[in-house]
Amino acid sequence: MKPPVINFSTLQAAVEIAATLAFALSGLLAGARKQLDVVGLCIIAGLSAFGGGTLRDVLLDRRPFFWVEHADWLWALMGLSFAAMLFMRGRHLALTEKAIQWPDALGLGLFTANGTLIALDLGQPPIVAVLMGVITATFGGVLRDIVCNEIPAAFHDHRPYALCSFVGAWVLVAAVHVNAPQWAAISAAAATAVLLRGLALWTGWTLPAWRIR
Amino acid sequence: MKPPVINFSTLQAAVEIAATLAFALSGLLAGARKQLDVVGLCIIAGLSAFGGGTLRDVLLDRRPFFWVEHADWLWALMGLSFAAMLFMRGRHLALTEKAIQWPDALGLGLFTANGTLIALDLGQPPIVAVLMGVITATFGGVLRDIVCNEIPAAFHDHRPYALCSFVGAWVLVAAVHVNAPQWAAISAAAATAVLLRGLALWTGWTLPAWRIR
Amino acid sequence: MKPPVINFSTLQAAVEIAATLAFALSGLLAGARKQLDVVGLCIIAGLSAFGGGTLRDVLLDRRPFFWVEHADWLWALMGLSFAAMLFMRGRHLALTEKAIQWPDALGLGLFTANGTLIALDLGQPPIVAVLMGVITATFGGVLRDIVCNEIPAAFHDHRPYALCSFVGAWVLVAAVHVNAPQWAAISAAAATAVLLRGLALWTGWTLPAWRIR
C-alpha cells in the first residue's frame, strides 16, 4: 500500500536508465570523433556511464559497484556500442549530440542527488557529500575526456555543468537537514540541477572567464 | 608428490616474469619516445607492468597488491630502467618493440586468465570477472598511454588486443563452469588469447572501423 | 609538559598549510594557463593539493581521507580559487610560479616524510613505503598535469623532483630503522628532500637524459 513510493521509484528507474544511456552515448560520440575502434568504444561508453559512480564508490570504500550488482548493464552497453557502430553515421552525430543534452541534464540531476544522498547516509560531512554528488554526476565525462586526450569539457568549456550539480547537491543537503522525505529531497535536488542546466543551455549562459591576459 | 602442479607453476612463473618484463619494456619504449627523464621512466615501467593488476585489485578491494607482496619487483623494475637507459640506443627501439610483441602476447594471455580467475574466486558474476581479466591484461598499457598523453593504443589502433583478452577470459569462465582443473582452465584461456593475438599480429587483421564519415 | 613536541607539531602544521596552499596554487597556475573555468580551477586546485595523499590512501586502503577529516580545507580551496581569479592577473603568473617554488619544496619534503611514515606504520616493506612517500609528494602534480593534457612535469622536465622525494623517503626509513624519535625522523627526511630540491633549483642541475637518438 505505498503507491507513491512505487510510482516514484519507477519514475526514478526510468530516468536513471535514460540518463545512463545518455552518458554512454556521450562517450560513444566522443570516441567516434577520435576514431576509436569497437573495443575502445565499448570501454569509453562504460567509462562515461559508470566512471563517476565508480570513482565515488572507490573514494567512499563502498562495494559492490552498481555495474557489479546489475551486471546486465554491461551487456546493454556492449549492445548499445554495436548498435551505434552499425546504424550511426556522420550526419547523425550532431543530431545525437543535441538529442542527448536533455537526458544528460536529467542524469546530471539524478546522479547528483543519488550520489550526495549515498555519501550523507555514510555519515560524510555536508561539503564532502556535495563533492561526492558532483563527482558522481560529472567524473564519467571527465574520465571520458582524459581517455580521449582532451582537457575535460566540464573544466574547460565555460558552460555551467558541474556548477548546476553543485547547487543541486546543496539543495539535497538542506532538504535532508530539515528532514524532508527522501523522495522529496531527491526530487527537489534533481529538479534544481536539471532546471539550472536547462536554463544554462537555453540562455547560453557562460561562466565568468579568468581575464588572465 | 605433485610434480605436474609444480611444473605448471614453474612454467607459469617463468611466463609471468617474461610477461611482466615485456610490459615494463613497453612502458620504457613509450617513455623513451616521449623523452621522459629517468624518474619518469622508472614510474612508467612500473605503471605499465603493474597498473592493470593494481586497478583490478582496487576495484575488487583486494589487498595486498602484487608489488607489495613481492616488493623485490620494484627493485627489478628500477634496475631494468637503468639498464635500458645505459644500454639501449635509438637503433634498438624498433628491434625491441618487435621482440617484445611475443612476451607481451604471453602476458596478455596469462594476465587475462589470472585476473578473471581471481574475480571469479571472489564470487563476481561472469561478465564482471571477464571485465576484470581484460582490465588486468590491458590497463597497464592504457595508463601508460594516458601518462604519455596519447589516446590509449588498445582503444585506438584498430588491432585486436583487448578483444583477444576478452575471448580468452570467456574461455576461462567456461572452463571453470565445467569444473575443469585450474591449470587446464588457465592454460586453455591463456592459449586462446595468445593464439588469437599471434594470429592478429601475423595476419595484420584489423578491427572493423566505424565509417563515421 | 611536552613543549618541544607541541612546538614541532605547530611548526609542522604551519609548514603543511603553506605547502598545501603552494600545491593548490600550482594547480591554479596550470589551470589558468589552460584557460579552465572557475569550476575547473577549484577542482584542479583540490586535485593538486590532495591528489597525492588521496591516491596513497586508496592504495593503502586507508580512511578517512585528509580532506574528509578536515573538510574545512575544501572551503579554503574554493576561497583560494575565487581569490586567485579575482586578484591574479597575467603579470602575476610568473611571479607566483617563482614564489611558490619554496613552499612547494617544503611540501615535497614534508609530504614525503609523512607519506612514508604512514606506510611504514601500516607495516609496508621499506621500498613500498618509500614509493608511497614519493606518490604522496608528487602525484598531486601528476594528476594536475594529466587533467591539463600534459605529460607530467615530474616525469618529463629532467629537473630532480621525485628524486629528492625518493632520497628523503629513504632517510626516513633509515631513521625509523635506528629507532630515532618521530620528530627527528620526519625532520631529517623532510630536510634532506627540501635541501636537495633547493640545491637542484639553485644549481639548475638536470637529470641525465637518455641519449636515445
Side-chain angles (χ1 to χ4, degrees), chain C residues 8-34:
Chain C
F8 180 71
S9 293
T10 313
L11 177 68
Q12 194 182 353
V15 171
E16 257 184 48
I17 290 172
T20 304
L21 292 181
F23 279 24
L25 268 174
S26 85
L28 285 176
L29 293 178
R33 292 235 158 68
K34 292 285 182 175

Side-chain angles (χ1 to χ4, degrees), chain A residues 57-63 124-125 127-128 131-132 134-135 138-139 142 146 149-159 161-163 166 170 207-213, chain C residues 28-29 31-41 43-44 47 54 58 61 63 65 67-68 71-72 74-75 78 81 84-91 93 146-149:
Chain A
D57 287 351
V58 166
L59 291 176
L60 293 175
D61 207 8
R62 187 169 166 271
R63 299 289 187 291
Q124 303 289 327
I127 177 75
V128 174
L131 186 63
M132 291 298 158
V134 175
I135 286 176
T138 62
F139 263 69
V142 169
I146 289 176
N149 206 11
E150 301 276 354
I151 297 179
F155 302 165
H156 191 246
D157 70 355
H158 294 258
R159 311 288 301 273
Y161 188 79
L163 194 61
F166 186 75
W170 280 110
L207 294 173
W210 190 357
R211 307 206 174 282
I212 203 77
R213 54 194 75 185
Chain C
L28 285 176
L29 293 178
R33 292 235 158 68
K34 292 285 182 175
Q35 317 255 2
L36 297 197
D37 56 37
V38 58
V39 171
L41 288 171
I43 291 181
I44 206 165
L47 206 58
T54 302
V58 166
D61 207 8
R63 300 288 186 296
F65 297 131
W67 47 270
V68 170
D72 294 340
L74 297 175
W75 289 110
M78 282 173 54
S81 303
M85 282 193 70
L86 287 178
F87 298 116
M88 215 183 271
R89 292 289 167 271
R91 66 199 146 85
L93 282 196
I146 289 176
V147 166
C148 280
N149 206 9

